[in-house]
PDB file of all heavy atoms in Angstrom:
ATOM      1  N   ARG A   1      59.933 199.827  70.270  1.00 94.00           N
ATOM      2  CA  ARG A   1      59.345 200.917  71.061  1.00 94.00           C
ATOM      3  C   ARG A   1      58.410 200.424  72.155  1.00 94.00           C
ATOM      4  O   ARG A   1      58.442 200.919  73.287  1.00 94.00           O
ATOM      5  CB  ARG A   1      58.579 201.863  70.130  1.00 94.00           C
ATOM      6  CG  ARG A   1      59.438 202.541  69.082  1.00 94.00           C
ATOM      7  CD  ARG A   1      58.591 203.368  68.126  1.00 94.00           C
ATOM      8  NE  ARG A   1      57.962 204.511  68.792  1.00 94.00           N
ATOM      9  CZ  ARG A   1      57.014 205.260  68.252  1.00 94.00           C
ATOM     10  NH1 ARG A   1      56.547 204.969  67.037  1.00 94.00           N
ATOM     11  NH2 ARG A   1      56.506 206.274  68.912  1.00 94.00           N
ATOM     12  N   PHE A   2      57.582 199.447  71.815  1.00 95.00           N
ATOM     13  CA  PHE A   2      56.505 199.069  72.737  1.00 95.00           C
ATOM     14  C   PHE A   2      56.469 197.558  73.030  1.00 95.00           C
ATOM     15  O   PHE A   2      55.433 197.036  73.430  1.00 95.00           O
ATOM     16  CB  PHE A   2      55.151 199.487  72.151  1.00 95.00           C
ATOM     17  CG  PHE A   2      55.091 200.918  71.717  1.00 95.00           C
ATOM     18  CD1 PHE A   2      54.939 201.253  70.376  1.00 95.00           C
ATOM     19  CD2 PHE A   2      55.206 201.947  72.648  1.00 95.00           C
ATOM     20  CE1 PHE A   2      54.883 202.574  69.972  1.00 95.00           C
ATOM     21  CE2 PHE A   2      55.154 203.275  72.253  1.00 95.00           C
ATOM     22  CZ  PHE A   2      54.996 203.596  70.912  1.00 95.00           C
ATOM     23  N   GLY A   3      57.566 196.865  72.796  1.00 94.00           N
ATOM     24  CA  GLY A   3      57.594 195.413  72.998  1.00 94.00           C
ATOM     25  C   GLY A   3      57.116 195.001  74.374  1.00 94.00           C
ATOM     26  O   GLY A   3      57.323 195.707  75.373  1.00 94.00           O
ATOM     27  N   LEU A   4      56.482 193.833  74.444  1.00 93.00           N
ATOM     28  CA  LEU A   4      55.850 193.384  75.684  1.00 93.00           C
ATOM     29  C   LEU A   4      56.843 192.822  76.692  1.00 93.00           C
ATOM     30  O   LEU A   4      56.502 192.653  77.868  1.00 93.00           O
ATOM     31  CB  LEU A   4      54.789 192.320  75.357  1.00 93.00           C
ATOM     32  CG  LEU A   4      53.666 192.807  74.426  1.00 93.00           C
ATOM     33  CD1 LEU A   4      52.750 191.641  74.048  1.00 93.00           C
ATOM     34  CD2 LEU A   4      52.867 193.927  75.080  1.00 93.00           C
ATOM     35  N   THR A   5      58.053 192.492  76.241  1.00 94.00           N
ATOM     36  CA  THR A   5      59.085 192.009  77.158  1.00 94.00           C
ATOM     37  C   THR A   5      60.382 192.750  76.882  1.00 94.00           C
ATOM     38  O   THR A   5      60.600 193.289  75.793  1.00 94.00           O
ATOM     39  CB  THR A   5      59.347 190.495  77.002  1.00 94.00           C
ATOM     40  OG1 THR A   5      59.943 190.251  75.715  1.00 94.00           O
ATOM     41  CG2 THR A   5      58.066 189.695  77.131  1.00 94.00           C
ATOM     42  N   THR A   6      61.252 192.765  77.876  1.00 92.00           N
ATOM     43  CA  THR A   6      62.566 193.394  77.704  1.00 92.00           C
ATOM     44  C   THR A   6      63.348 192.716  76.597  1.00 92.00           C
ATOM     45  O   THR A   6      63.982 193.376  75.762  1.00 92.00           O
ATOM     46  CB  THR A   6      63.355 193.316  79.024  1.00 92.00           C
ATOM     47  OG1 THR A   6      62.626 193.992  80.047  1.00 92.00           O
ATOM     48  CG2 THR A   6      64.730 193.935  78.878  1.00 92.00           C
ATOM     49  N   GLU A   7      63.297 191.379  76.577  1.00 93.00           N
ATOM     50  CA  GLU A   7      64.044 190.636  75.565  1.00 93.00           C
ATOM     51  C   GLU A   7      63.548 190.947  74.158  1.00 93.00           C
ATOM     52  O   GLU A   7      64.338 191.028  73.215  1.00 93.00           O
ATOM     53  CB  GLU A   7      63.948 189.121  75.829  1.00 93.00           C
ATOM     54  CG  GLU A   7      64.742 188.643  77.032  1.00 93.00           C
ATOM     55  CD  GLU A   7      63.980 188.816  78.333  1.00 93.00           C
ATOM     56  OE1 GLU A   7      62.856 189.384  78.304  1.00 93.00           O
ATOM     57  OE2 GLU A   7      64.505 188.396  79.382  1.00 93.00           O
ATOM     58  N   ALA A   8      62.250 191.128  74.009  1.00 94.00           N
ATOM     59  CA  ALA A   8      61.708 191.449  72.692  1.00 94.00           C
ATOM     60  C   ALA A   8      62.241 192.796  72.212  1.00 94.00           C
ATOM     61  O   ALA A   8      62.641 192.946  71.046  1.00 94.00           O
ATOM     62  CB  ALA A   8      60.179 191.460  72.740  1.00 94.00           C
ATOM     63  N   ARG A   9      62.261 193.786  73.088  1.00 94.00           N
ATOM     64  CA  ARG A   9      62.768 195.106  72.698  1.00 94.00           C
ATOM     65  C   ARG A   9      64.258 195.045  72.368  1.00 94.00           C
ATOM     66  O   ARG A   9      64.721 195.661  71.399  1.00 94.00           O
ATOM     67  CB  ARG A   9      62.499 196.114  73.822  1.00 94.00           C
ATOM     68  CG  ARG A   9      61.004 196.372  74.070  1.00 94.00           C
ATOM     69  CD  ARG A   9      60.790 197.551  74.996  1.00 94.00           C
ATOM     70  NE  ARG A   9      61.257 197.288  76.350  1.00 94.00           N
ATOM     71  CZ  ARG A   9      60.546 196.695  77.294  1.00 94.00           C
ATOM     72  NH1 ARG A   9      59.317 196.277  77.034  1.00 94.00           N
ATOM     73  NH2 ARG A   9      61.040 196.509  78.508  1.00 94.00           N
ATOM     74  N   GLU A  10      64.999 194.309  73.178  1.00 93.00           N
ATOM     75  CA  GLU A  10      66.440 194.190  72.924  1.00 93.00           C
ATOM     76  C   GLU A  10      66.712 193.470  71.606  1.00 93.00           C
ATOM     77  O   GLU A  10      67.594 193.873  70.832  1.00 93.00           O
ATOM     78  CB  GLU A  10      67.107 193.437  74.083  1.00 93.00           C
ATOM     79  CG  GLU A  10      67.131 194.230  75.382  1.00 93.00           C
ATOM     80  CD  GLU A  10      67.607 193.401  76.557  1.00 93.00           C
ATOM     81  OE1 GLU A  10      67.690 192.162  76.409  1.00 93.00           O
ATOM     82  OE2 GLU A  10      67.908 193.983  77.614  1.00 93.00           O
ATOM     83  N   ASN A  11      65.972 192.410  71.339  1.00 94.00           N
ATOM     84  CA  ASN A  11      66.192 191.659  70.098  1.00 94.00           C
ATOM     85  C   ASN A  11      65.745 192.455  68.881  1.00 94.00           C
ATOM     86  O   ASN A  11      66.283 192.265  67.782  1.00 94.00           O
ATOM     87  CB  ASN A  11      65.475 190.315  70.166  1.00 94.00           C
ATOM     88  CG  ASN A  11      66.112 189.386  71.179  1.00 94.00           C
ATOM     89  OD1 ASN A  11      67.230 189.625  71.621  1.00 94.00           O
ATOM     90  ND2 ASN A  11      65.416 188.326  71.552  1.00 94.00           N
ATOM     91  N   ALA A  12      64.764 193.332  69.056  1.00 95.00           N
ATOM     92  CA  ALA A  12      64.387 194.223  67.954  1.00 95.00           C
ATOM     93  C   ALA A  12      65.538 195.183  67.646  1.00 95.00           C
ATOM     94  O   ALA A  12      65.839 195.457  66.472  1.00 95.00           O
ATOM     95  CB  ALA A  12      63.126 194.999  68.314  1.00 95.00           C
ATOM     96  N   ALA A  13      66.197 195.699  68.695  1.00 94.00           N
ATOM     97  CA  ALA A  13      67.356 196.575  68.483  1.00 94.00           C
ATOM     98  C   ALA A  13      68.479 195.817  67.784  1.00 94.00           C
ATOM     99  O   ALA A  13      69.133 196.346  66.875  1.00 94.00           O
ATOM    100  CB  ALA A  13      67.844 197.125  69.827  1.00 94.00           C
ATOM    101  N   ALA A  14      68.709 194.576  68.205  1.00 92.00           N
ATOM    102  CA  ALA A  14      69.752 193.769  67.570  1.00 92.00           C
ATOM    103  C   ALA A  14      69.409 193.496  66.109  1.00 92.00           C
ATOM    104  O   ALA A  14      70.300 193.420  65.252  1.00 92.00           O
ATOM    105  CB  ALA A  14      69.929 192.456  68.329  1.00 92.00           C
ATOM    106  N   THR A  15      68.124 193.342  65.808  1.00 94.00           N
ATOM    107  CA  THR A  15      67.716 193.132  64.415  1.00 94.00           C
ATOM    108  C   THR A  15      68.025 194.357  63.567  1.00 94.00           C
ATOM    109  O   THR A  15      68.504 194.240  62.435  1.00 94.00           O
ATOM    110  CB  THR A  15      66.212 192.801  64.348  1.00 94.00           C
ATOM    111  OG1 THR A  15      65.924 191.692  65.205  1.00 94.00           O
ATOM    112  CG2 THR A  15      65.803 192.447  62.924  1.00 94.00           C
ATOM    113  N   LEU A  16      67.757 195.546  64.101  1.00 94.00           N
ATOM    114  CA  LEU A  16      68.091 196.775  63.375  1.00 94.00           C
ATOM    115  C   LEU A  16      69.598 196.883  63.173  1.00 94.00           C
ATOM    116  O   LEU A  16      70.066 197.321  62.110  1.00 94.00           O
ATOM    117  CB  LEU A  16      67.568 197.996  64.123  1.00 94.00           C
ATOM    118  CG  LEU A  16      66.045 198.130  64.235  1.00 94.00           C
ATOM    119  CD1 LEU A  16      65.682 199.444  64.920  1.00 94.00           C
ATOM    120  CD2 LEU A  16      65.378 198.047  62.872  1.00 94.00           C
ATOM    121  N   PHE A  17      70.355 196.490  64.178  1.00 90.00           N
ATOM    122  CA  PHE A  17      71.813 196.473  64.043  1.00 90.00           C
ATOM    123  C   PHE A  17      72.234 195.543  62.909  1.00 90.00           C
ATOM    124  O   PHE A  17      73.076 195.886  62.069  1.00 90.00           O
ATOM    125  CB  PHE A  17      72.447 196.027  65.360  1.00 90.00           C
ATOM    126  CG  PHE A  17      73.893 195.618  65.249  1.00 90.00           C
ATOM    127  CD1 PHE A  17      74.843 196.514  64.812  1.00 90.00           C
ATOM    128  CD2 PHE A  17      74.285 194.330  65.585  1.00 90.00           C
ATOM    129  CE1 PHE A  17      76.179 196.142  64.712  1.00 90.00           C
ATOM    130  CE2 PHE A  17      75.601 193.941  65.480  1.00 90.00           C
ATOM    131  CZ  PHE A  17      76.556 194.857  65.053  1.00 90.00           C
ATOM    132  N   SER A  18      71.631 194.363  62.852  1.00 90.00           N
ATOM    133  CA  SER A  18      71.953 193.405  61.795  1.00 90.00           C
ATOM    134  C   SER A  18      71.588 193.952  60.419  1.00 90.00           C
ATOM    135  O   SER A  18      72.379 193.881  59.469  1.00 90.00           O
ATOM    136  CB  SER A  18      71.213 192.085  62.055  1.00 90.00           C
ATOM    137  OG  SER A  18      71.405 191.178  60.995  1.00 90.00           O
ATOM    138  N   LEU A  19      70.400 194.519  60.296  1.00 92.00           N
ATOM    139  CA  LEU A  19      69.952 195.048  59.005  1.00 92.00           C
ATOM    140  C   LEU A  19      70.786 196.248  58.568  1.00 92.00           C
ATOM    141  O   LEU A  19      71.033 196.445  57.373  1.00 92.00           O
ATOM    142  CB  LEU A  19      68.479 195.450  59.096  1.00 92.00           C
ATOM    143  CG  LEU A  19      67.474 194.314  59.340  1.00 92.00           C
ATOM    144  CD1 LEU A  19      66.083 194.881  59.590  1.00 92.00           C
ATOM    145  CD2 LEU A  19      67.446 193.341  58.155  1.00 92.00           C
ATOM    146  N   SER A  20      71.251 197.046  59.532  1.00 90.00           N
ATOM    147  CA  SER A  20      72.006 198.255  59.184  1.00 90.00           C
ATOM    148  C   SER A  20      73.420 197.941  58.721  1.00 90.00           C
ATOM    149  O   SER A  20      74.170 198.855  58.361  1.00 90.00           O
ATOM    150  CB  SER A  20      72.065 199.205  60.387  1.00 90.00           C
ATOM    151  OG  SER A  20      72.789 198.626  61.464  1.00 90.00           O
ATOM    152  N   ALA A  21      73.805 196.666  58.711  1.00 85.00           N
ATOM    153  CA  ALA A  21      75.103 196.298  58.143  1.00 85.00           C
ATOM    154  C   ALA A  21      75.143 196.591  56.646  1.00 85.00           C
ATOM    155  O   ALA A  21      76.218 196.753  56.070  1.00 85.00           O
ATOM    156  CB  ALA A  21      75.394 194.826  58.407  1.00 85.00           C
ATOM    157  N   VAL A  22      73.977 196.653  56.005  1.00 87.00           N
ATOM    158  CA  VAL A  22      73.881 197.014  54.586  1.00 87.00           C
ATOM    159  C   VAL A  22      73.768 198.533  54.499  1.00 87.00           C
ATOM    160  O   VAL A  22      72.825 199.128  55.028  1.00 87.00           O
ATOM    161  CB  VAL A  22      72.668 196.338  53.921  1.00 87.00           C
ATOM    162  CG1 VAL A  22      72.567 196.754  52.453  1.00 87.00           C
ATOM    163  CG2 VAL A  22      72.777 194.822  54.046  1.00 87.00           C
ATOM    164  N   HIS A  23      74.714 199.164  53.822  1.00 87.00           N
ATOM    165  CA  HIS A  23      74.776 200.627  53.803  1.00 87.00           C
ATOM    166  C   HIS A  23      73.490 201.264  53.279  1.00 87.00           C
ATOM    167  O   HIS A  23      73.024 202.273  53.811  1.00 87.00           O
ATOM    168  CB  HIS A  23      75.966 201.070  52.945  1.00 87.00           C
ATOM    169  CG  HIS A  23      76.189 202.551  52.963  1.00 87.00           C
ATOM    170  ND1 HIS A  23      76.758 203.211  54.040  1.00 87.00           N
ATOM    171  CD2 HIS A  23      75.889 203.514  52.047  1.00 87.00           C
ATOM    172  CE1 HIS A  23      76.816 204.510  53.783  1.00 87.00           C
ATOM    173  NE2 HIS A  23      76.302 204.723  52.585  1.00 87.00           N
ATOM    174  N   ASP A  24      72.914 200.646  52.250  1.00 88.00           N
ATOM    175  CA  ASP A  24      71.720 201.228  51.636  1.00 88.00           C
ATOM    176  C   ASP A  24      70.522 201.249  52.578  1.00 88.00           C
ATOM    177  O   ASP A  24      69.556 201.985  52.335  1.00 88.00           O
ATOM    178  CB  ASP A  24      71.353 200.459  50.365  1.00 88.00           C
ATOM    179  CG  ASP A  24      72.390 200.646  49.269  1.00 88.00           C
ATOM    180  OD1 ASP A  24      73.198 201.591  49.376  1.00 88.00           O
ATOM    181  OD2 ASP A  24      72.396 199.843  48.318  1.00 88.00           O
ATOM    182  N   TYR A  25      70.550 200.435  53.636  1.00 92.00           N
ATOM    183  CA  TYR A  25      69.408 200.366  54.542  1.00 92.00           C
ATOM    184  C   TYR A  25      69.531 201.327  55.725  1.00 92.00           C
ATOM    185  O   TYR A  25      68.566 201.522  56.473  1.00 92.00           O
ATOM    186  CB  TYR A  25      69.236 198.944  55.076  1.00 92.00           C
ATOM    187  CG  TYR A  25      68.961 197.910  54.001  1.00 92.00           C
ATOM    188  CD1 TYR A  25      69.289 196.570  54.201  1.00 92.00           C
ATOM    189  CD2 TYR A  25      68.381 198.271  52.793  1.00 92.00           C
ATOM    190  CE1 TYR A  25      69.037 195.621  53.223  1.00 92.00           C
ATOM    191  CE2 TYR A  25      68.133 197.328  51.809  1.00 92.00           C
ATOM    192  CZ  TYR A  25      68.469 196.004  52.029  1.00 92.00           C
ATOM    193  OH  TYR A  25      68.223 195.071  51.047  1.00 92.00           O
ATOM    194  N   LYS A  26      70.697 201.904  55.923  1.00 92.00           N
ATOM    195  CA  LYS A  26      70.910 202.735  57.106  1.00 92.00           C
ATOM    196  C   LYS A  26      70.000 203.956  57.105  1.00 92.00           C
ATOM    197  O   LYS A  26      69.442 204.333  58.139  1.00 92.00           O
ATOM    198  CB  LYS A  26      72.381 203.152  57.186  1.00 92.00           C
ATOM    199  CG  LYS A  26      73.321 201.975  57.431  1.00 92.00           C
ATOM    200  CD  LYS A  26      74.785 202.372  57.390  1.00 92.00           C
ATOM    201  CE  LYS A  26      75.658 201.137  57.599  1.00 92.00           C
ATOM    202  NZ  LYS A  26      77.092 201.440  57.530  1.00 92.00           N
ATOM    203  N   LYS A  27      69.843 204.571  55.952  1.00 93.00           N
ATOM    204  CA  LYS A  27      68.982 205.748  55.857  1.00 93.00           C
ATOM    205  C   LYS A  27      67.520 205.365  56.060  1.00 93.00           C
ATOM    206  O   LYS A  27      66.768 206.058  56.762  1.00 93.00           O
ATOM    207  CB  LYS A  27      69.173 206.394  54.478  1.00 93.00           C
ATOM    208  CG  LYS A  27      68.426 207.724  54.297  1.00 93.00           C
ATOM    209  CD  LYS A  27      69.048 208.826  55.137  1.00 93.00           C
ATOM    210  CE  LYS A  27      68.546 210.207  54.723  1.00 93.00           C
ATOM    211  NZ  LYS A  27      67.106 210.382  54.847  1.00 93.00           N
ATOM    212  N   ARG A  28      67.101 204.254  55.477  1.00 94.00           N
ATOM    213  CA  ARG A  28      65.709 203.812  55.635  1.00 94.00           C
ATOM    214  C   ARG A  28      65.385 203.522  57.094  1.00 94.00           C
ATOM    215  O   ARG A  28      64.308 203.861  57.588  1.00 94.00           O
ATOM    216  CB  ARG A  28      65.457 202.567  54.784  1.00 94.00           C
ATOM    217  CG  ARG A  28      65.344 202.820  53.293  1.00 94.00           C
ATOM    218  CD  ARG A  28      65.087 201.536  52.543  1.00 94.00           C
ATOM    219  NE  ARG A  28      63.886 200.856  53.012  1.00 94.00           N
ATOM    220  CZ  ARG A  28      63.516 199.641  52.595  1.00 94.00           C
ATOM    221  NH1 ARG A  28      64.258 198.986  51.714  1.00 94.00           N
ATOM    222  NH2 ARG A  28      62.410 199.098  53.070  1.00 94.00           N
ATOM    223  N   ILE A  29      66.306 202.893  57.788  1.00 95.00           N
ATOM    224  CA  ILE A  29      66.069 202.566  59.203  1.00 95.00           C
ATOM    225  C   ILE A  29      65.980 203.844  60.024  1.00 95.00           C
ATOM    226  O   ILE A  29      65.089 204.002  60.876  1.00 95.00           O
ATOM    227  CB  ILE A  29      67.189 201.640  59.727  1.00 95.00           C
ATOM    228  CG1 ILE A  29      67.112 200.276  59.036  1.00 95.00           C
ATOM    229  CG2 ILE A  29      67.082 201.476  61.243  1.00 95.00           C
ATOM    230  CD1 ILE A  29      68.283 199.370  59.331  1.00 95.00           C
ATOM    231  N   ALA A  30      66.899 204.771  59.787  1.00 93.00           N
ATOM    232  CA  ALA A  30      66.892 206.017  60.554  1.00 93.00           C
ATOM    233  C   ALA A  30      65.629 206.832  60.288  1.00 93.00           C
ATOM    234  O   ALA A  30      65.117 207.519  61.184  1.00 93.00           O
ATOM    235  CB  ALA A  30      68.134 206.836  60.221  1.00 93.00           C
ATOM    236  N   ASP A  31      65.119 206.752  59.068  1.00 94.00           N
ATOM    237  CA  ASP A  31      63.928 207.527  58.710  1.00 94.00           C
ATOM    238  C   ASP A  31      62.626 206.884  59.189  1.00 94.00           C
ATOM    239  O   ASP A  31      61.576 207.523  59.139  1.00 94.00           O
ATOM    240  CB  ASP A  31      63.865 207.715  57.185  1.00 94.00           C
ATOM    241  CG  ASP A  31      64.913 208.693  56.678  1.00 94.00           C
ATOM    242  OD1 ASP A  31      65.449 209.454  57.506  1.00 94.00           O
ATOM    243  OD2 ASP A  31      65.218 208.672  55.471  1.00 94.00           O
ATOM    244  N   GLU A  32      62.702 205.631  59.626  1.00 93.00           N
ATOM    245  CA  GLU A  32      61.499 204.958  60.124  1.00 93.00           C
ATOM    246  C   GLU A  32      61.074 205.622  61.437  1.00 93.00           C
ATOM    247  O   GLU A  32      61.867 205.739  62.377  1.00 93.00           O
ATOM    248  CB  GLU A  32      61.773 203.469  60.338  1.00 93.00           C
ATOM    249  CG  GLU A  32      60.550 202.652  60.704  1.00 93.00           C
ATOM    250  CD  GLU A  32      59.548 202.558  59.550  1.00 93.00           C
ATOM    251  OE1 GLU A  32      59.979 202.500  58.369  1.00 93.00           O
ATOM    252  OE2 GLU A  32      58.341 202.544  59.834  1.00 93.00           O
ATOM    253  N   GLY A  33      59.849 206.034  61.496  1.00 91.00           N
ATOM    254  CA  GLY A  33      59.358 206.797  62.635  1.00 91.00           C
ATOM    255  C   GLY A  33      59.620 206.140  63.979  1.00 91.00           C
ATOM    256  O   GLY A  33      59.182 205.017  64.220  1.00 91.00           O
ATOM    257  N   GLY A  34      60.321 206.841  64.849  1.00 93.00           N
ATOM    258  CA  GLY A  34      60.552 206.375  66.219  1.00 93.00           C
ATOM    259  C   GLY A  34      61.727 205.441  66.386  1.00 93.00           C
ATOM    260  O   GLY A  34      62.066 205.086  67.528  1.00 93.00           O
ATOM    261  N   ALA A  35      62.395 205.043  65.313  1.00 94.00           N
ATOM    262  CA  ALA A  35      63.465 204.051  65.429  1.00 94.00           C
ATOM    263  C   ALA A  35      64.650 204.595  66.216  1.00 94.00           C
ATOM    264  O   ALA A  35      65.094 203.990  67.204  1.00 94.00           O
ATOM    265  CB  ALA A  35      63.905 203.582  64.041  1.00 94.00           C
TER     266      ALA A  35
END
């Protein structure tokens, strides 16, 4: 949301993509405020 560089924000999105490969984590990620 507030990363100091473009690359940091993009890599944070890629990290969420990586973590969401596990089905059980998809709901937790979506429920995280602002994600």
Side-chain angles (χ1 to χ4, degrees):
R1 298 175 66 191
F2 309 114
L4 300 174
T5 67
T6 300
E7 288 84 356
R9 295 191 293 274
E10 291 172 348
N11 291 345
T15 306
L16 294 184
F17 165 60
S18 175
L19 295 172
S20 65
V22 179
H23 185 76
D24 293 344
Y25 298 155
K26 294 175 182 178
K27 186 70 166 60
R28 286 180 57 187
I29 293 172
D31 288 343
E32 187 68 35

